[in-house]
Amino acid sequence: MKALISLFMVVPLIGAQPHSAPFLDRSEAVKAFNHLNDIRKQPVRYCQQLKFSPVQVVPRPALIWNDMLARVAEHKALDMAQRNYFAHVDPDGFGINHYLKQVGYDLDPQWLRDPKANNFESIQAGCMGGKQAIDCLIIDYGVPSKGHRTHLLGVGDWNASLVDIGIGYVRSDSTTAYPTYTCVIIAKHR
C-alpha cells in the first residue's frame, strides 16, 4: 500500500514536466465531474444530444467527490498511458477493486475475491477533454450492454446505490495508442 500511495504523491501535474511524457490534467477531471453531475441531474436535457433513451434514465443525486477514488483513478489513467494499454485489468492482473482496497476504501470482502474484479470503473481513451470523455462513455459506442452509461447515470438498483466518485484524466503523446486516458470510479463503501 505504501508504494501505491507514494506513487500518487509524485504523479506530475499538468505543466510539471515536458509534454513528451503522460501527465495528469486535473482541470479536465473537474470538468468531467461537473458535467456528469449535470447530466445526472437533468438527463432528459441530454438524451437527444447523447442519443440515449430517457425511459432508461431518471434524475439522480449529485455524486460526491472522494479523494481516495480520485487518487486510484489518476493512477489507473496514468498507468494505462505509461504502459500503453487500455483495459479494466492491468498487465499485472489486477482490477480496480484491488487498488481501492489498497488505499483503504472499505469494500465488501466478496468484491475482493477475484483480483481482476471491477465493480466500479469506467474507462475511456481518445476523447479530447473531460466533458467529451464523459459524453463518449455515456454514448458507449461499440459496447452493446451500454455498461458505462448505466454505471455513470446510475441506472438500476446497483448503480443507483453508488455515491462516491473520483476521476483521472491523462494527456499523453504520440508514443501511446491514445492521446488521452480517462478513468471514472463511482463506488460505495460496503
Side-chain angles (χ1 to χ4, degrees), residues 134-156:
I134 294 299
D135 290 349
C136 288
L137 284 165
I138 290 171
I139 292 167
D140 228 357
Y141 180 76
V143 181
S145 70
K146 303 301 181 205
H148 300 116
R149 179 186 303 168
T150 59
H151 177 231
L152 270 61
L153 298 183
V155 176

Side-chain angles (χ1 to χ4, degrees), residues 1-171:
M1 183 160 94
K2 285 185 181 181
L4 186 62
I5 292 172
S6 296
L7 174 65
F8 294 135
M9 305 269 184
V10 297
V11 170
L13 294 175
I14 186 169
Q17 68 180 33
H19 290 252
S20 61
F23 61 97
L24 288 172
D25 188 337
R26 289 187 174 137
S27 67
E28 290 301 328
V30 169
K31 289 176 188 175
F33 169 69
N34 291 330
H35 185 54
L36 177 56
N37 271 332
D38 192 43
I39 295 170
R40 287 171 60 97
K41 181 180 177 183
Q42 308 173 70
V44 174
R45 178 177 161 210
Y46 290 92
C47 68
Q48 186 173 6
Q49 174 189 348
L50 298 177
K51 297 178 178 38
F52 63 85
S53 170
V55 174
Q56 303 169 338
V57 182
V58 297
R60 294 283 181 211
L63 295 163
I64 301 162
W65 188 262
N66 181 288
D67 288 336
M68 274 191 219
L69 298 186
R71 286 194 311 266
V72 174
E74 288 176 347
H75 169 72
K76 176 63 181 276
L78 194 59
D79 188 57
M80 288 190 294
Q82 289 173 332
R83 297 204 283 173
N84 202 18
Y85 73 95
F86 180 69
H88 288 291
V89 177
D90 70 18
D92 301 319
F94 294 108
I96 212 67
N97 292 14
H98 169 82
Y99 291 107
L100 291 174
K101 175 68 175 166
Q102 276 197 326
V103 297
Y105 194 84
D106 187 29
L107 296 177
D108 188 303
Q110 71 179 346
W111 302 336
L112 299 167
R113 288 185 186 142
D114 181 356
K116 296 177 180 179
N118 166 30
N119 295 87
F120 309 109
E121 175 192 57
S122 288
I123 56 174
Q124 190 286 320
C127 283
M128 301 306 288
K131 289 174 71 172
Q132 294 81 0
I134 294 299
D135 290 349
C136 288
L137 284 165
I138 290 171
I139 292 167
D140 228 357
Y141 180 76
V143 181
S145 70
K146 303 301 181 205
H148 300 116
R149 179 186 303 168
T150 59
H151 177 231
L152 270 61
L153 298 183
V155 176
D157 292 341
W158 167 258
N159 291 309
S161 73
L162 307 178
V163 295
D164 295 333
I165 187 171
I167 299 175
Y169 184 88
V170 169
R171 294 186 185 275

